Coordinates of all heavy atoms in Angstrom, one line a residue:
C82 N 114.6 101.0 133.9 CA 114.2 99.8 133.2 C 115.2 98.8 133.4 O 116.3 98.9 133.1 CB 113.7 100.2 131.9 SG 112.9 98.8 131.0
K84 N 115.0 96.1 131.6 CA 115.1 95.4 130.3 C 116.1 96.0 129.4 O 116.4 97.1 129.6 CB 113.6 95.4 129.6 CG 112.7 94.4 130.3 CD 112.2 93.3 129.3 CE 111.7 92.1 129.9 NZ 110.2 92.1 130.0
D85 N 116.3 95.3 128.3 CA 117.3 95.8 127.4 C 117.0 95.5 125.9 O 117.8 95.2 125.1 CB 118.7 95.1 127.6 CG 119.8 96.0 127.8 OD1 119.6 97.2 127.6 OD2 121.0 95.6 128.2
C86 N 115.8 95.7 125.6 CA 115.3 95.5 124.2 C 116.1 96.4 123.3 O 116.4 97.5 123.5 CB 113.8 96.0 124.2 SG 112.7 95.2 125.4
Y88 N 115.5 97.7 120.6 CA 114.8 98.8 119.9 C 114.6 100.1 120.7 O 114.4 101.2 120.2 CB 113.6 98.4 119.3 CG 112.7 97.6 120.2 CD1 111.9 98.1 121.0 CD2 112.8 96.2 120.1 CE1 111.2 97.4 122.0 CE2 112.0 95.4 121.1 CZ 111.3 96.0 121.9 OH 110.5 95.2 122.7
C89 N 114.7 100.0 122.0 CA 114.2 100.9 122.9 C 115.2 101.9 123.5 O 116.2 101.5 124.0 CB 113.4 100.2 124.0 SG 112.7 101.3 125.1
G90 N 114.8 103.2 123.4 CA 115.7 104.3 123.8 C 115.9 104.3 125.3 O 117.0 104.8 125.8
I91 N 115.1 103.8 126.1 CA 115.3 103.8 127.6 C 115.8 102.4 128.1 O 115.7 102.1 129.3 CB 114.1 104.3 128.3 CG1 112.8 103.4 128.2 CG2 113.7 105.7 127.9 CD1 111.8 103.7 129.3
R92 N 116.3 101.6 127.2 CA 116.7 100.3 127.6 C 117.9 100.5 128.7 O 118.6 101.4 128.8 CB 117.3 99.5 126.4 CG 118.5 100.3 125.7 CD 118.7 99.7 124.3 NE 119.0 98.2 124.3 CZ 120.3 97.7 124.4 NH1 121.4 98.6 124.4 NH2 120.5 96.4 124.4
H93 N 118.0 99.4 129.5 CA 119.0 99.5 130.6 C 120.3 100.0 130.3 O 120.9 100.8 131.0 CB 118.9 98.1 131.4 CG 119.7 98.0 132.6 ND1 119.2 98.6 133.8 CD2 121.0 97.6 132.9 CE1 120.2 98.4 134.7 NE2 121.2 97.8 134.2
E184 N 105.0 92.8 121.0 CA 106.0 93.3 120.1 C 106.0 92.8 118.7 O 106.0 93.5 117.7 CB 107.5 93.4 120.8 CG 107.4 93.7 122.1 CD 107.1 95.3 122.5 OE1 106.7 95.9 121.5 OE2 107.1 95.7 123.6
H195 N 115.5 91.1 120.7 CA 115.7 91.2 122.2 C 117.0 90.3 122.5 O 117.4 89.4 121.8 CB 114.6 90.5 122.9 CG 113.3 91.2 122.7 ND1 112.3 90.8 121.8 CD2 112.8 92.3 123.4 CE1 111.2 91.7 121.9 NE2 111.5 92.6 122.9
H201 N 113.8 88.3 128.6 CA 113.2 88.7 127.3 C 112.8 87.4 126.5 O 113.2 87.0 125.5 CB 114.4 89.4 126.5 CG 114.9 90.6 127.1 ND1 115.9 90.5 127.9 CD2 114.6 91.9 126.9 CE1 116.2 91.8 128.3 NE2 115.3 92.6 127.8
R206 N 106.2 86.2 128.2 CA 105.4 87.3 127.8 C 103.9 86.9 127.5 O 103.0 87.4 128.0 CB 105.9 88.3 126.8 CG 105.1 89.5 126.6 CD 105.8 90.6 125.9 NE 107.0 91.0 126.3 CZ 107.7 92.1 126.1 NH1 107.0 93.0 125.4 NH2 108.9 92.5 126.6
L337 N 111.5 106.6 124.2 CA 111.5 105.2 123.5 C 112.2 105.3 122.2 O 112.9 104.5 121.7 CB 110.2 104.6 123.5 CG 109.4 104.7 124.8 CD1 108.0 104.1 124.6 CD2 110.1 103.8 125.9
Ligands
LIG18 FE1 111.9 96.9 126.5 FE2 111.9 99.7 126.8 S1 113.4 98.3 127.3 S2 110.5 98.4 125.6

Side-chain angles (χ1 to χ4, degrees):
C82 189
K84 284 239 159 102
D85 228 357
C86 308
Y88 43 84
C89 179
I91 64 164
R92 62 197 297 270
H93 184 77
E184 315 297 359
H195 294 102
H201 304 82
R206 189 164 299 201
L337 308 174

